[in-house]
Amino acid sequence: MSPKPMVRPGGRSARVQESVHAAVRELVGEVGREALTVPMVAARAGVTPSTIYRRWGDLQELLSDVAVERLRPEADPADLGSLRADLDAWAEQFVDEMASPPGRAYIRDALLGDPDGTNAGQCSAYAAEQIDVVLARAVQRGEPVPETELLIDRVVAPIMYRILFRPGRLDAAYARELVTNAVYAQQTEAGARPTQAAAPRRSKKNPTADTDAGES
């Protein structure tokens, strides 16, 4: 089941979220994440601490909410004229942003305040939506395209695994290598799909002629 898209609040709720998120970003830059407290955020945002506790529960869940919002892509992937060029450019940008110190911090915060996996699912949805844009363009050009989930498994998943558990080899060359492997896997699977054998043609005058001939 695909994760439900994040619904942005409206009205006063949206203003509170915006001011609190801005306060968190400012204070992290000024005093550091470890020194951050809910009262500090509330004072900067112009709300009461109870407002933050009521809406976010605790500081970690607030940091997680801010991280998920910061991980939301700001624009569609670049359109460079071909599936391969678009995938290479997107994967390189994904590595560059996610593996950067701010990206790693946002990933960590998003997961730490995520007991039910909602934030992880939302971040995954961001990647899938970006890939869907690239694939839709390729379809319009008439290019064969892989499944979104294949690209999630072959490109996004290895990058995230290395970011979280095995740092190293996180550069543009690695991103392009993953795209090459994913596209090759798609082409291999497409070529290996069995085609249904055509049924033997029968004579209109004698429908059993082919069968009889084969038995003689």
Side-chain angles (χ1 to χ4, degrees), residues 99-139:
S100 67
R104 290 173 185 270
Y106 288 136
I107 291 169
R108 181 189 63 225
D109 282 339
L111 297 180
L112 284 175
D114 187 30
D116 61 358
T118 299
N119 291 343
Q122 185 59 57
C123 292
S124 175
Y126 291 156
E129 288 164 6
Q130 293 267 292
I131 291 170
D132 285 344
V133 170
V134 171
L135 298 186
R137 289 174 182 158
V139 169

Side-chain angles (χ1 to χ4, degrees), residues 36-99:
L36 202 64
T37 66
V38 169
M40 288 171 60
V41 174
R44 177 65 62 90
V47 300
T48 63
S50 62
T51 297
I52 294 177
Y53 288 124
R54 184 168 56 250
R55 177 161 180 168
W56 284 280
D58 58 26
L59 181 61
Q60 186 56 67
E61 289 189 28
L62 171 58
L63 289 171
S64 186
D65 189 43
V66 171
V68 171
E69 187 64 25
R70 295 297 287 174
L71 290 170
R72 181 192 298 272
E74 297 180 353
D76 285 344
D79 186 351
L80 302 178
S82 72
L83 173 65
R84 183 56 197 268
D86 287 358
L87 285 177
D88 278 345
W90 179 79
E92 290 174 25
Q93 182 177 1
F94 186 79
V95 166
D96 184 59
E97 293 178 352
M98 295 297 104

Side-chain angles (χ1 to χ4, degrees), residues 97-177:
E97 293 178 352
M98 295 297 104
S100 67
R104 290 173 185 270
Y106 288 136
I107 291 169
R108 181 189 63 225
D109 282 339
L111 297 180
L112 284 175
D114 187 30
D116 61 358
T118 299
N119 291 343
Q122 185 59 57
C123 292
S124 175
Y126 291 156
E129 288 164 6
Q130 293 267 292
I131 291 170
D132 285 344
V133 170
V134 171
L135 298 186
R137 289 174 182 158
V139 169
Q140 291 178 342
R141 300 186 195 106
E143 297 179 86
V145 300
E147 296 289 334
T148 298
E149 288 305 311
L150 185 146
L151 292 170
I152 292 289
D153 290 342
R154 300 297 183 97
V155 180
V156 177
I159 291 171
M160 295 305 297
Y161 183 88
R162 282 196 170 273
I163 288 173
L164 292 171
F165 303 115
R166 197 173 178 83
R169 270 217 85 195
L170 286 165
D171 54 19
Y174 178 62
R176 291 193 299 271
E177 180 183 316

